[in-house]
Amino acid sequence: MTTEDLVATARRAASGSYSPFSRYRVGAAVVTEDGSVYSSANVENSSYPVSQCAEANAVNYAISQGHRRITDVAVACLDAEDLDGAYPCGRCRQILNEFGVERVMVATAEGDYRVHTFGELLPYAFTLDPDEREPTQ
Amino acid sequence: MTTEDLVATARRAASGSYSPFSRYRVGAAVVTEDGSVYSSANVENSSYPVSQCAEANAVNYAISQGHRRITDVAVACLDAEDLDGAYPCGRCRQILNEFGVERVMVATAEGDYRVHTFGELLPYAFTLDPDEREPTQ
Amino acid sequence: MTTEDLVATARRAASGSYSPFSRYRVGAAVVTEDGSVYSSANVENSSYPVSQCAEANAVNYAISQGHRRITDVAVACLDAEDLDGAYPCGRCRQILNEFGVERVMVATAEGDYRVHTFGELLPYAFTLDPDEREPTQ
Amino acid sequence: MTTEDLVATARRAASGSYSPFSRYRVGAAVVTEDGSVYSSANVENSSYPVSQCAEANAVNYAISQGHRRITDVAVACLDAEDLDGAYPCGRCRQILNEFGVERVMVATAEGDYRVHTFGELLPYAFTLDPDEREPTQ
């Protein structure tokens, strides 16, 4: 799948957005290490902290299907005025970091998109090694 | 799909669990208003608050695919010692509430499962009507 | 502190609410096992899932100050139309459960409030024993 | 308060950490626009996604007390092996972004600490303007 196609897939995925509270429709498409593609959208909740972003939803679903690495992520915010309003939030970047994402495409409803290396979006990322945790309390 | 089959689907879905931190593998399967079935698993993160539970993951993905109502949810915790350790957390119940879930099945790796009406699990549920929010600040 | 005073404290605490997105101002006051009182409010974020509810904020702060048990929680939603719109969400109930909360008071901006035992709000609560986790993956 | 003192406050605050699941004790101290200081610690939950990080806890509590801007944040991870394991996660950075944080200090249990401008930690940050949301659904 080309980068253009991945962005187009993210845009189409936004049609599934459940966002009656923010009215901010977002779609995302991700590519796994073996080239599989999954797409999803943001899903909000009456209790805002329980909401889920589009790219988080897509990554978490892909992982749950047995994948363990994501290489590319495209995010499309249909209701962003410009590309500056379409970037993944910090929480989503933390999720992307867990699974080795390399490239992130940022898009609005139409027009050009931007491509970033993941390192440009979350420098000094936090990672916890599950095998090195030692009881200290 | 029978209730038995839904529980079996939830158990199989747990094989996709990414839970290196809790080592608590959970699978979930949900039925939408038109009879579609989606299954998923829990996906953790180095930053614990960024993790996602299995039933939340399954519901959010189903909704993002265009569905707006979920009728049944089965949850299976492979590493729970008994059924008491396999119930959905409060946050997941809040997600189920948003989409009208009616029945919840709770299971461990094998053996019998329990069936609950949703009202038994989240009485006095909180719901916010997006159309009634009025600016007050 | 009387129950009336605790509810009044929760109402006053709502003045600190940062809720430009939902415009739903909520305050909370909690009592710890030794009678200390902490109050807080909801704090939202441009990324909705990163928001925090009032009672979650109050409990988490009290715990971080060294307390390990909360007995009473009062929640006051200034912008709820009636008591039915002022209940803690499921995620907050999960937080209350972790620290042994016994009683929950639900209030709006003024007038009567309701008192619930915690068991009425989160039956079959999920709890994980940190000492019983065994590596299974 | 000097930067050294703020880091020391964050280290002491970690003693309030409730982290029986990760056994990763973290403390945080924040300075508001008028020079007030608040400190807190991480508070975990049986349901991992419901947990709260130390710096998120400190910021959210400060905001709930009426402040609207945070200038400095110090984070101290007592159980990190080195400074690389002590950085704020992406979700916390999103919270810091909402309130204009300028400087972030990263520390372990003892020894030197690092100072970062916020822009170094969350480039291209996502912000939603509550006044520009227009109904589109």
Side-chain angles (χ1 to χ4, degrees), chain A residues 16-18 20-21 23 39-41 43-48 50 52 57 60-61 63-65 68 91 94-95 98-99 126-128 130-131 133, chain B residues 16-18 20-21 23 39-41 43-48 50 52 57 60-61 63-65 68 91 94-95 98-99 126-128 130-131 133:
Chain A
S17 169
Y18 173 76
F21 301 102
R23 298 192 171 96
S39 64
S40 192
V43 176
E44 300 184 346
N45 191 281
S46 293
S47 171
Y48 285 20
V50 176
Q52 183 67 311
N57 214 358
N60 283 342
Y61 184 73
I63 297 299
S64 79
Q65 301 307 296
R68 288 298 177 263
R91 176 177 176 271
Q94 181 67 33
I95 293 174
E98 189 81 13
F99 303 109
F126 172 73
T127 305
L128 190 63
D131 298 326
R133 287 177 308 133
Chain B
S17 168
Y18 173 76
F21 301 103
R23 298 193 170 97
S39 65
S40 191
V43 176
E44 300 185 346
N45 191 282
S46 293
S47 170
Y48 285 19
V50 176
Q52 183 68 310
N57 213 358
N60 283 343
Y61 184 73
I63 297 300
S64 79
Q65 301 307 297
R68 287 297 176 264
R91 175 178 177 270
Q94 180 68 32
I95 293 173
E98 189 81 13
F99 303 108
F126 172 73
T127 305
L128 190 64
D131 297 327
R133 287 177 309 132

Side-chain angles (χ1 to χ4, degrees), chain D residues 19-117:
Chain D
S19 44
F21 301 103
S22 71
R23 298 193 170 97
Y24 212 71
R25 295 165 298 167
V26 186
V30 306
V31 183
T32 67
E33 75 290 349
D34 67 352
S36 302
V37 174
Y38 294 87
S39 65
S40 192
N42 57 329
V43 176
E44 300 184 345
N45 191 280
S46 292
S47 171
Y48 285 20
V50 176
S51 303
Q52 183 67 309
C53 296
E55 55 273 53
N57 214 357
V59 168
N60 283 344
Y61 184 73
I63 297 299
S64 79
Q65 301 306 297
H67 301 282
R68 288 297 177 265
R69 236 188 99 232
I70 309 283
T71 57
D72 296 84
V73 173
V75 184
C77 293
L78 301 197
D79 302 306
E81 295 198 352
D82 52 35
L83 286 173
D84 287 340
Y87 277 80
C89 77
R91 177 178 176 268
C92 283
R93 297 180 197 189
Q94 181 67 33
I95 294 174
L96 306 190
N97 181 66
E98 189 81 13
F99 303 109
V101 168
E102 297 165 17
R103 293 196 317 155
V104 178
M105 275 62 76
V106 179
T108 55
E110 49 189 21
D112 287 344
Y113 56 87
R114 274 190 220 140
V115 183
H116 286 281
T117 64

Side-chain angles (χ1 to χ4, degrees), chain A residues 34-106:
Chain A
D34 66 353
S36 302
V37 174
Y38 293 86
S39 64
S40 192
N42 56 329
V43 176
E44 300 184 346
N45 191 281
S46 293
S47 171
Y48 285 20
V50 176
S51 303
Q52 183 67 311
C53 296
E55 56 273 52
N57 214 358
V59 168
N60 283 342
Y61 184 73
I63 297 299
S64 79
Q65 301 307 296
H67 301 282
R68 288 298 177 263
R69 236 187 99 231
I70 308 284
T71 57
D72 295 85
V73 173
V75 184
C77 293
L78 301 197
D79 302 306
E81 296 198 352
D82 52 34
L83 286 174
D84 287 341
Y87 277 80
C89 77
R91 176 177 176 271
C92 283
R93 297 180 197 190
Q94 181 67 33
I95 293 174
L96 305 190
N97 181 65
E98 189 81 13
F99 303 109
V101 168
E102 297 165 17
R103 294 196 315 157
V104 178
M105 274 63 74
V106 179

Side-chain angles (χ1 to χ4, degrees), chain C residues 4 7-8 11 75-76 83 106-114:
Chain C
E4 294 253 314
V7 169
R11 280 171 174 151
V75 184
L83 286 174
V106 179
T108 54
E110 49 189 21
D112 288 343
Y113 56 87
R114 274 191 221 139

Side-chain angles (χ1 to χ4, degrees), chain C residues 88-112:
Chain C
C89 77
R91 177 178 177 267
C92 283
R93 297 180 198 190
Q94 181 67 32
I95 294 173
L96 304 191
N97 180 65
E98 189 81 13
F99 303 109
V101 168
E102 297 164 17
R103 293 197 316 154
V104 178
M105 274 63 75
V106 179
T108 54
E110 49 189 21
D112 288 343

Side-chain angles (χ1 to χ4, degrees), chain B residues 29-102:
Chain B
V30 305
V31 183
T32 67
E33 76 290 349
D34 67 352
S36 301
V37 175
Y38 294 86
S39 65
S40 191
N42 57 328
V43 176
E44 300 185 346
N45 191 282
S46 293
S47 170
Y48 285 19
V50 176
S51 303
Q52 183 68 310
C53 296
E55 55 273 54
N57 213 358
V59 168
N60 283 343
Y61 184 73
I63 297 300
S64 79
Q65 301 307 297
H67 301 283
R68 287 297 176 264
R69 234 187 101 232
I70 309 283
T71 57
D72 296 84
V73 174
V75 184
C77 294
L78 301 197
D79 302 306
E81 295 198 353
D82 51 35
L83 285 173
D84 287 340
Y87 277 80
C89 77
R91 175 178 177 270
C92 283
R93 297 180 197 190
Q94 180 68 32
I95 293 173
L96 305 190
N97 181 65
E98 189 81 13
F99 303 108
V101 169
E102 298 164 17

